[in-house]
Amino acid sequence: MAQLHRNPPFRAEHLGSLLRTDELLKTKTAYEKGEAPESALVDIENKDINEIVETQKKLGFPGASDGEYRRHMFWGSFFPGLEGFEEIANVDIDYFRLYAPDVAAFIEEGHKPGESVLCTGKIKHVGSTYVDQFKYLASRVAPEEVKNLKITLAAPNWYHLRYKEGKAYPSDVYSSDDEYFGDIAKAYQAELQILYDAGCRNVQFDDPNLAYFCSDKMLDGWKNDPLNKYTPQELFDKYVKQYNDLLSNRPADLHVGVHICRGNFVGSRHFSEGGYDLIATKLFKELNCDTYYLEYDTPRAGGFEPLKELPPHKNVILGVVTSKFPQLEDKEEMKKRVYDAAKFIAEGNNISVEQALNQVGVSPQCGFASHREGNAIDHDGMIAKLKLVRDIANDIWPGQL
């Protein structure tokens, strides 16, 4: 029987991205304009990463990240770093499913989607663009703590759902989605092995697309799109299989989590709504990961009932504290929500609430800066939120990391 993976995840978690300093933002902009050398950017990135790692240590978060400070957006550089993908500054709007929630949000704001990455040839992993980020992060902690550190990865399906049927790759390069998904899975296998060899034991996939299958608005758009050849459930099944393929030969001590993200953009905008009910059984029972990071900060995420589908060998990190706005949640109310969630896990597995709590942790519902400009919250507000998460965890699981 599969074993519950612990430490990681920890009772108090965060989702990886943290607010950047004004100095880092200004230096990044200057570098992009050719007004500052790369060395100046690297120096400030290093300085800020050093400081934010120390902050996480003091706050009691063993699964520390580098704040994603070297990235422009949460997905980083994985896809542009693959052979067979090309980053395009201005993609024709006709490429996109306009009802995909992130694309729709851009359109509603009067913008077309920004830069994107298109498949232009056979996909092949030709070197990690993440491993140096991890190695620097690992240099900031004691050797015995390296296994706790977290690195976030782009979802393997990210550049598929947002494109219209037939636009994700050239038909003369791949004859089917399965062939295309297969090469992406192989690329992730190579990436995970490189990270593992560098000492990484804790990865988190950030996946807004899976949450889109909970969105009535997206599903309505899907139904009305005559180009689609799959039902939403059929495509969701393919995405789960893609995860399972890329994780099929992972080492047993590599902790893998998936964050089901509902969007996190400028001004603390979210992209999708809807409870997990439509995807819970397939997501929890068939996707072969260890931990689910779920957003539960507002009613848009629905209730805790779908957690009845969570098997006893998997964890859930409850994002009951919002990262989007500074107003601080009531600690006792959040603790009650954690217990309420545990009751459904207990019911689903016919175990006690105390046993169910062994599978649970708490976190902010998303990152604080999935895009580099960050959410509508300042540094002090972020620290207060992280302290609250740690305090909730300390009360429910005293003495546990």
Side-chain angles (χ1 to χ4, degrees):
M1 183 177 175
Q3 296 296 307
L4 187 68
H5 202 299
R6 284 282 298 126
N7 290 356
F10 301 95
R11 299 305 184 196
E13 289 271 351
H14 67 73
L15 277 298
S17 69
L18 299 166
L19 291 175
R20 293 148 175 80
T21 63
D22 289 341
E23 184 180 9
L24 176 53
L25 292 173
K26 289 175 184 174
T27 306
K28 280 185 180 290
T29 300
Y31 168 71
E32 290 166 355
K33 291 180 177 178
E35 298 170 358
E38 184 177 11
S39 59
L41 176 59
V42 172
D43 285 347
I44 185 62
E45 286 174 342
N46 290 348
K47 171 179 172 290
D48 283 4
I49 289 169
N50 297 350
E51 291 178 359
I52 202 64
V53 169
E54 288 304 310
T55 297
Q56 291 170 83
K57 288 180 184 177
K58 290 174 184 174
L59 289 169
F61 286 82
S65 77
D66 65 359
E68 300 180 1
Y69 284 176
R70 301 194 199 276
R71 304 185 189 185
H72 167 58
M73 297 288 281
F74 72 90
W75 54 78
S77 51
F78 179 75
F79 279 95
L82 297 177
E83 185 177 295
F85 275 100
E86 183 178 350
E87 195 161 13
I88 308 292
N90 290 293
V91 182
D92 188 329
I93 193 68
D94 191 53
Y95 267 78
F96 297 98
R97 287 185 167 106
L98 301 184
Y99 52 87
D102 59 304
V103 176
F106 280 106
I107 302 300
E108 287 171 14
E109 295 290 336
H111 303 291
K112 76 173 195 174
E115 78 278 358
S116 198
V117 179
L118 292 173
C119 175
T120 56
K122 284 287 186 184
I123 298 162
K124 184 180 180 183
H125 193 279
V126 289
S128 173
T129 61
Y130 286 141
V131 70
D132 287 344
Q133 295 175 17
F134 180 79
K135 286 180 177 178
Y136 187 82
L137 175 63
S139 76
R140 311 318 304 163
V141 301
E144 64 271 17
E145 295 172 3
V146 171
K147 67 183 185 300
N148 300 333
L149 301 173
K150 175 157 57 179
I151 187 165
T152 57
L153 305 176
N157 54 53
W158 181 238
Y159 289 109
H160 183 265
L161 181 69
R162 65 205 322 252
Y163 299 136
K164 288 180 180 177
E165 183 65 47
K167 297 288 189 181
Y169 51 84
S171 59
D172 59 346
V173 174
Y174 288 108
S175 62
S176 68
D177 284 332
D178 290 343
E179 187 182 3
Y180 166 78
F181 291 151
D183 276 358
I184 292 177
K186 290 175 187 174
Y188 273 93
Q189 288 177 352
E191 182 71 32
L192 290 174
Q193 189 61 53
I194 290 169
L195 289 170
Y196 185 87
D197 291 344
C200 178
R201 298 294 182 270
N202 186 12
V203 299
Q204 172 192 304
F205 288 90
D206 289 320
D207 198 326
N209 282 353
L210 296 185
Y212 295 171
F213 290 88
C214 304
S215 166
D216 287 339
K217 187 184 288 188
M218 201 281 281
L219 296 175
D220 286 343
W222 189 279
K223 184 169 57 178
N224 294 322
D225 182 349
L227 295 177
N228 289 326
K229 64 181 182 181
Y230 304 121
T231 66
Q233 186 59 59
E234 287 170 342
L235 186 60
F236 190 85
D237 290 353
K238 286 184 176 293
Y239 287 168
V240 169
K241 182 180 185 301
Q242 185 184 33
Y243 269 108
N244 290 345
D245 287 346
L246 72 90
L247 296 172
S248 60
N249 60 0
R250 64 159 166 148
D253 61 339
L254 177 64
H255 170 257
V256 176
V258 178
H259 170 42
I260 311 300
C261 178
R262 295 172 186 276
N264 203 30
F265 200 58
V266 176
S268 293
R269 170 148 194 171
H270 70 274
F271 292 147
S272 65
E273 301 182 358
Y276 299 100
D277 309 70
L278 291 174
I279 64 172
T281 301
K282 175 73 67 171
L283 178 70
F284 295 146
K285 294 190 182 302
E286 297 189 27
L287 200 162
N288 295 327
C289 69
D290 302 299
T291 299
Y292 302 93
Y293 300 87
L294 302 184
E295 301 200 1
Y296 270 117
D297 60 322
T298 71
R300 70 170 174 266
F304 293 125
E305 290 84 354
L307 295 177
K308 288 190 286 188
E309 301 294 329
L310 187 76
H313 65 280
K314 293 186 178 184
N315 307 281
V316 61
I317 305 300
L318 301 169
V320 294
V321 172
T322 191
S323 66
K324 296 188 185 304
F325 303 106
Q327 182 177 356
L328 210 56
E329 290 84 353
D330 178 83
K331 184 177 73 166
E332 295 305 317
E333 185 180 333
M334 295 305 102
K335 286 162 56 178
K336 181 180 182 302
R337 297 203 73 210
V338 172
Y339 281 104
D340 287 345
K343 290 174 185 174
F344 286 105
I345 299 171
E347 180 184 342
N349 291 318
N350 195 27
I351 58 176
S352 69
V353 172
E354 289 70 24
Q355 289 173 308
L357 283 170
N358 289 330
Q359 299 173 239
V360 180
V362 65
S363 73
Q365 110 289 343
C366 198
F368 289 89
S370 301
H371 53 95
R372 73 185 188 192
E373 290 83 2
N375 292 351
I377 187 171
D378 63 14
H379 181 81
D380 289 345
M382 176 179 75
I383 297 301
K385 294 282 184 170
L386 293 173
K387 283 181 176 176
L388 175 60
V389 166
R390 186 67 261 182
D391 287 346
I392 294 167
N394 289 346
D395 282 2
I396 298 175
W397 302 278
Q400 297 188 36
L401 293 176

